[in-house]
C-alpha cells in the first residue's frame, strides 16, 4: 500500500480466509530476534526483562515446581498463533496483554481494527463533520445540478398532461400520462445515477484519506478520482444491465404468454436476486477506486470480501438506507409543505397542478438539494468503511493503513 489513498491491489492476499504470512513480514519486525510485547507506559521494560515464568495472569501464582516453558528460538514469533486482525491485539492471554484488548491506533476517523456498526456510522458522520469543507461543496454542486435539470424536466414534460381526475380521464389520456410519467422518472433516475457516480468517486478518495488522518481538497479528490471515473460508470451500467436482463429472463416469459401467475412468480424470484446481487457487489465501487483495478476485478473483489458476511453487510446497508430515508422525508416534507401552501394551497395537490407549478417545484428541489447534500456523504462513507472493515478482518489491512499513516512498529508491540 502506498501513502496515497489509492490502495494497491492485495494480489495474493487471501480474501476469504485468515491472513497468512509470518510476522516477519509485518512493519517494524526485523524477522530476527524475538520481540516481546512491552507493557503500556513502560519504555524501559525491554532493558529490564523479568525472569522466565513470571508472565502468569494477575492473582495466579504458579507453584515453585512448575516447569518453565522452553525458550523460544530466534524469530520465535513465527511459532506463535497468528495474531488476529493485523496483530494489534496479540493472542488472548499473551505476554503483556492479560487477556484484554488494548485500544487500537486511531490516526483518522476510525480505529485500525475490525469495526462495529456504531463505529462505521460514526466514522461516516465524523468524516462529514471534520472534512465538510471538501465534502459539502462536492455534494452541494452535484445535487444542485441534478435538481435544476430535474425541475426543468418536470416542468416542461409534465405541463402538457391533462389535469382531470382519474374518473374523467380517457384511456388514451391515461396511457399518455403513464408514458410521460415513466419517461420523466427514467430521465430523473439517469441524471441521479450520473451525479451519484461523480460524488461516489470523489468522496471515496476523501474518505480514504480521512481514515489515515489526512485532509483532501476538492481539486485533489477530483484529480485522484478522474482516472477511474469511466470505469466506475461502466461498473454501474454493467450492474444495471445485469439486473434488467435478469428481470427480462424471469418476468418476460410470463408477460409474453399472458400468464399472470408466471409474471408474479418471476417477479417474486427477481426481487430477492436483485437484493442478493446488490449486496454481493456493493463493495465493488470502493474496490475499483482504491485498488485501481478493472471493472471485472472489482466485482470479483467485492464478491470475495462479502462472502461469509453477506447478512452483516446487508443489515448495515439497510439500516443506513432507512436512516437516509428518514432524513430525506423530514427535509422534503418541510419544504414541500412550504411550496404547496405558499403557492396554490392544498387544492393544488388534488388537481395535480403542484407537479408543474414553479413554486412547489422549486421548494421541493431545494429540499432535495439539502437532503442529498447530507445523505450522499453518509451513504458513500458507510460503503467505504464497510470495504475497509472487511479487508481488515480478512487481510490485515490495518497494518498497511498504520504504515501509510506513519505509525511505527504497529502490530509488533501491541498497537
Amino acid at each position: 500500500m502506498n501513502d496515497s489513498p489509492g490502495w494497491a491491489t492485495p494480489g495474493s492476499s487471501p480474501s476469504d480466509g485468515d491472513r497468512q504470512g509470518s510476522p516477519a513480514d509485518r512493519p517494524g519486525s526485523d524477522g530476527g530476534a524475538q520481540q516481546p510485547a512491552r507493557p503500556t507506559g513502560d519504555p524501559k521494560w525491554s532493558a529490564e526483562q523479568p525472569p522466565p515464568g513470571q508472565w502468569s495472569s494477575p492473582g495466579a501464582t504458579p507453584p515453585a515446581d512448575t516447569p518453565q516453558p522452553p525458550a523460544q528460538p530466534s524469530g520465535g514469533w513465527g511459532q506463535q498463533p497468528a495474531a488476529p486482525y493485523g496483530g494489534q491485539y496479540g493472542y488472548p492471554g499473551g505476554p503483556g496483554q492479560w487477556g484484554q484488548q488494548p485500544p487500537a491506533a486511531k490516526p483518522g476517523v476510525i480505529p485500525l481494527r475490525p469495526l462495529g456498526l456504531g463505529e462505521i456510522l460514526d466514522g461516516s458522520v465524523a468524516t462529514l463533520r471534520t472534512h465538510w469543507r471538501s465534502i459539502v461543496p462536492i455534494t452541494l454542486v452535484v445535487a444542485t445540478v441534478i435538481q435544476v435539470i430535474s425541475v426543468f424536466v418536470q416542468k416542461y414534460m409534465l405541463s402538457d398532461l391533462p389535469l382531470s381526475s382519474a374518473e374523467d380521464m380517457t384511456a388514451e389520456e391515461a396511457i399518455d400520462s403513464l408514458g410521460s410519467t415513466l419517461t420523466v422518472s427514467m430521465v430523473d433516475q439517469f441524471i441521479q445515477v450520473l451525479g451519484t457516480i461523480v460524488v461516489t468517486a470523489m468522496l471515496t478518495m476523501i474518505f480514504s484519506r480521512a481514515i489515515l488522518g489526512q485532509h483532501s481538497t476538492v481539486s485533489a479528490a477530483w484529480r485522484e478520482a478522474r482516472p477511474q471515473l469511466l470505469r466506475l460508470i461502466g461498473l454501474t451500467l454493467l450492474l444495471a444491465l445485469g439486473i434488467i436482463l435478469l428481470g427480462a429472463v424471469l418476468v418476460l416469459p410470463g408477460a409474453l404468454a399472458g400468464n399472470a401467475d408466471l409474471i408474479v412468480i418471476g417477479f417474486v424470484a427477481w426481487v430477492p436476486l436483485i437484493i442478493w446481487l446488490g449486496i454481493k457487489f456493493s463493495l465493488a465501487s470502493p474496490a475499483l477506486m482504491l485498488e485501481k483495478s478493472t471493472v471485472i476485478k472489482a466485482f470479483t473483489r467485492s464478491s470475495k470480501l462479502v462472502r461469509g458476511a453477506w447478512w452483516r453487510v446487508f443489515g448495515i446497508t439497510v439500516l443506513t438506507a432507512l436512516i437516509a430515508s428518514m432524513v430525506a422525508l423530514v427535509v422534503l416534507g418541510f419544504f414541500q409543505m412550504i411550496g404547496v401552501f405558499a403557492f396554490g394551497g392544498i387544492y393544488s395537490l388534488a388537481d395535480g397542478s403542484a407537479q408543474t407549478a414553479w413554486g412547489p417545484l422549486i421548494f421541493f428541489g431545494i429540499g432535495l438539494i439539502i437532503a442529498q447534500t447530507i445523505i450522499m456523504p453518509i451513504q458513500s462513507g458507510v460503503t467505504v468503511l464497510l470495504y475497509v472493515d472487511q479487508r481488515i478482518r480478512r487481510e490485515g489491512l490495518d497494518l498497511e493503513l498504520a504504515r501509510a499513516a506513519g505509525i511505527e512498529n504497529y502490530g509488533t508491540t501491541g498497537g
Side-chain angles (χ1 to χ4, degrees):
M1 172 175 174
N2 303 322
D3 291 343
S4 68
W7 300 336
T9 306
S12 59
S13 297
S15 293
D16 46 352
D18 291 336
R19 186 175 52 86
Q20 299 175 354
S22 65
D25 298 331
R26 299 174 184 172
S29 174
D30 57 7
Q34 179 183 359
Q35 299 291 334
R38 69 181 69 175
T40 304
D42 190 357
K44 296 182 179 180
W45 179 85
S46 59
E48 302 174 3
Q49 300 184 15
Q54 294 187 3
W55 284 106
S56 56
S57 300
T61 304
D65 57 348
T66 300
Q68 302 297 333
Q72 291 284 348
S74 177
W77 282 103
Q79 308 299 323
Q80 299 285 4
Y85 310 136
Q88 68 269 32
Y89 296 155
Y91 52 91
Q97 302 297 330
W98 309 109
Q100 299 179 357
Q101 297 179 353
K106 188 179 180 181
V109 294
I110 58 169
L112 301 185
R113 57 170 170 75
L115 304 174
L117 168 62
E119 289 170 327
I120 291 176
L121 294 174
D122 180 70
S124 181
V125 175
T127 304
L128 174 59
R129 184 175 61 249
T130 305
H131 302 273
W132 65 269
R133 289 181 178 85
S134 300
I135 294 176
V136 172
I138 296 173
T139 55
L140 182 60
V141 169
V142 173
T144 301
V145 172
I146 291 173
Q147 294 311 316
V148 167
I149 297 175
S150 178
V151 165
F152 278 99
V153 168
Q154 293 184 54
K155 172 64 178 177
Y156 292 106
M157 292 187 68
L158 296 180
S159 58
D160 296 333
L161 293 180
L163 299 178
S164 57
S165 62
E167 294 81 4
D168 301 331
M169 191 177 297
T170 64
E172 184 178 353
E173 290 175 341
I175 293 174
D176 290 342
S177 176
L178 179 61
S180 298
T181 303
L182 290 176
T183 302
V184 171
S185 178
M186 291 178 62
V187 172
D188 280 345
Q189 288 299 318
F190 179 75
I191 297 170
Q192 293 274 356
V193 168
L194 289 181
T196 302
I197 289 173
V198 174
V199 170
T200 300
M202 298 180 68
L203 292 187
T204 298
M205 314 317 294
I206 294 177
F207 272 94
S208 65
R209 287 195 176 276
I211 292 170
L212 304 178
Q214 302 172 0
H215 290 271
S216 181
T217 62
V218 176
S219 59
W222 170 250
R223 187 168 55 251
E224 293 165 353
R226 185 174 55 188
Q228 292 292 97
L229 194 57
L230 288 178
R231 287 182 176 179
L232 184 59
I233 294 174
L235 184 148
T236 305
L237 294 179
L238 186 60
L239 184 59
L241 180 62
I243 292 174
I244 293 173
L245 290 178
L246 183 62
V249 170
L250 294 174
V251 179
L252 192 58
L256 293 176
N259 192 321
D261 293 336
L262 285 179
I263 295 176
V264 172
I265 293 174
F267 186 79
V268 169
W270 184 37
V271 172
L273 283 175
I274 291 175
I275 297 174
W276 179 73
L277 288 174
I279 299 301
K280 182 181 179 67
F281 299 127
S282 62
L283 305 184
S285 173
L288 179 78
M289 298 302 300
L290 298 178
E291 298 179 14
K292 310 300 182 186
S293 64
T294 62
V295 172
I296 301 301
K297 287 183 179 179
F299 280 125
T300 303
R301 287 287 293 147
S302 177
S303 177
K304 289 182 178 179
L305 290 173
V306 173
R307 186 182 304 160
W310 190 94
W311 285 106
R312 181 173 183 273
V313 176
F314 171 77
I316 294 175
T317 303
V318 170
L319 179 60
T320 304
L322 289 176
I323 294 174
S325 298
M326 288 189 291
V327 172
L329 284 175
V330 171
V331 176
L332 290 178
F334 175 75
F335 280 91
Q336 190 172 29
M337 287 178 59
I338 294 178
V340 169
F341 287 102
F343 301 91
I346 194 68
Y347 296 105
S348 63
L349 290 176
D351 60 17
S353 61
Q355 297 180 3
T356 57
W358 279 115
L361 283 176
I362 291 175
F363 272 90
F364 189 72
I366 292 174
L368 279 174
I369 291 172
I370 296 175
Q372 289 180 336
T373 301
I374 300 171
I375 290 171
M376 285 193 290
I378 295 176
Q379 291 181 315
S380 297
V382 168
T383 302
V384 173
L385 295 182
L386 270 173
Y387 163 83
V388 172
D389 175 57
Q390 287 302 112
R391 285 197 61 183
I392 288 176
R393 292 173 182 272
R394 294 180 179 272
E395 301 170 356
L397 181 64
D398 55 326
L399 293 175
E400 302 296 330
L401 293 174
R403 185 174 65 185
I407 302 176
E408 298 181 357
N409 301 325
Y410 183 82
T412 62
T413 60

